[in-house]
Amino acid sequence: MSTKLQANALFTDHMVLQRERGIPVWGTGTDGVTVTVRLREASAQAVVRGGEWKVTLPAMQAGGPYELTVEAGEDKLTFRDVLVGDVWLAGGQSNMEWRLADSLNAEQEAAAADYPLVRYYEVPRVAYDDGQEHAGAWAVCAPETVMQFTAVGYHFARKLVGALDVPIGIVGCNWGGTSASCWVPEEALASDPELRVYIDVYKEKVSQLDPETAKKEEDDYQAALDAWVRRESEGLKGTELGDFPWPPPLNERSFLRPNGLYGTMLRKAMPYAIKGFIYYQGESDADRPHLYDRLMAVMIEQWRQDWGDASLPFLFVQLPGYADPYDHDGVNWPLLREAQQRVSERVPNTAMAVILDCGEENDIHPRDKRPVGERLGGIALREVYGRDVACYGPFFKSLAIVGSKAIVSFSHAESGLVSTSGEVLGFELAGEDGHFVKADAAISGSTVVVSSPDVAAPAAVRYAWASWPTATLYNGLGLPAAPFRTSI
């Protein structure tokens, strides 16, 4: 470990520090040396022990720009253009990682992205501990920088800045293709009778690999990936481009291994003071939808524990529509969405943004990220900041059976219910046998009346229950109804 005075990689020029709570600052140095950290009129000191130091500055109100200094003897670090505001950690997989540059209307969005109060830091993507130091840097949102921001995080931050007029920092900590199990410590998975399957399957796979085979798999995959990137750079598309090579091989250095990125990335962001989490993930866990709500609950509890605050807001995105080619029965994504809603209902201080209408049938990466970030932002304004913001579409509330009709009531339907196509599509009805059939549906105030000539005695209703559903129910604010099913 270097004995030179250093602050953690998260502390750079242009950073945003969390307002209204203690501000941890930490780093490395020479044992026995006293480190003094100053921000505005506040200062804090710590003695370097075991090569490490940490101080906590007192809570401050939003403001800036300021300078933050770190001094030890003759060594001094100065960080400039420091703002105090709200910091949100943006976790998940590729749809959170997705950059503005690759999103819909990227050029127009970037040209208008003059938001100096929005700042972005990306935790370096490190698959395994290679002993190297990996540094990032805070970037100020501007047309020339914003293309590399997470698109969802950018639109989220822009929504908050517009409403709150305080600095907003986004810490990107995500990696495409990852299961939520990649972001949870091994002991949290191994100690759970159901979740230990993630560890067991991985360890069984790795135990069967000899180093030579593992190296060949890595080399072959890298060659296939390089060839695909080269073809894409040449402008090839469709069959000429070919499918993106996936999945990469699973081994002890793979970024897909359970627990791995928790240690190599997430822990690198701890305990940087934050306001809460935003999260977009689930695609890579659709093969185990029955475990997902449990996995999420464990992950959220762990992250809150790591940041020392059991009530940190956790706002996340429900999966949109997508015709998953690997889900031949078309049930995994509906089940995954249902598990996500259970998390929002059962885990305190969580909330879910419904984006059923934001998907693309044959692309797991929808290009239009603006409504995703804006809906998360609206939820934050309502649930975290206490603003009177309408941010939810209709959610199932209750079911009443009247003769041969099922009457479904919804919450968040005060503005009325509407169909985007004239017809209300997406509802199915079942009798006691549990066999669902396509049903007729009609809006009546804040309810939908569902019936079918094939179901004389309805017992259950479901809506948008498919990977790529035809679903047309919205409220009067233009927000889509969440998918649901009722039990028999």
Side-chain angles (χ1 to χ4, degrees), residues 243 321-325 359-367 468:
D243 293 334
Y322 168 61
D324 183 1
E360 296 182 23
E361 183 175 8
N362 298 309
D363 195 338
I364 201 170
H365 302 121
R367 294 301 195 270
W468 176 251

Side-chain angles (χ1 to χ4, degrees), residues 327-458:
D327 184 9
H328 301 297
D329 296 325
V331 297
N332 285 350
W333 278 52
L335 288 170
L336 198 289
R337 293 187 198 111
E338 183 179 60
Q340 289 176 313
Q341 184 162 341
R342 279 200 297 270
V343 172
S344 71
E345 293 168 346
R346 298 176 181 178
V347 180
N349 287 356
T350 64
M352 181 181 76
V354 176
I355 61 161
L356 192 66
D357 56 331
C358 297
E360 296 182 23
E361 183 175 8
N362 298 309
D363 195 338
I364 201 170
H365 302 121
R367 294 301 195 270
D368 190 2
K369 296 294 196 255
R370 176 184 267 207
V372 183
E374 289 184 344
R375 288 177 193 176
L376 279 173
I379 290 172
L381 289 174
R382 180 187 179 97
E383 304 293 355
V384 180
Y385 296 99
R387 299 296 181 90
D388 185 15
V389 174
C391 58
Y392 295 114
F395 279 86
F396 170 79
K397 185 177 180 181
S398 63
L399 173 65
I401 305 298
V402 181
S404 61
K405 299 183 186 299
I407 301 173
V408 183
S409 297
F410 292 88
S411 59
H412 304 291
E414 298 84 357
S415 57
L417 297 173
V418 298
S419 169
T420 54
S421 69
E423 289 183 275
V424 182
L425 304 176
F427 282 89
E428 296 175 284
L429 203 56
E432 292 289 345
D433 60 359
H435 176 65
F436 281 93
V437 299
K438 185 177 179 180
D440 299 317
I443 294 170
S444 176
S446 61
T447 69
V448 174
V449 180
V450 186
S451 63
S452 169
D454 298 322
V455 182

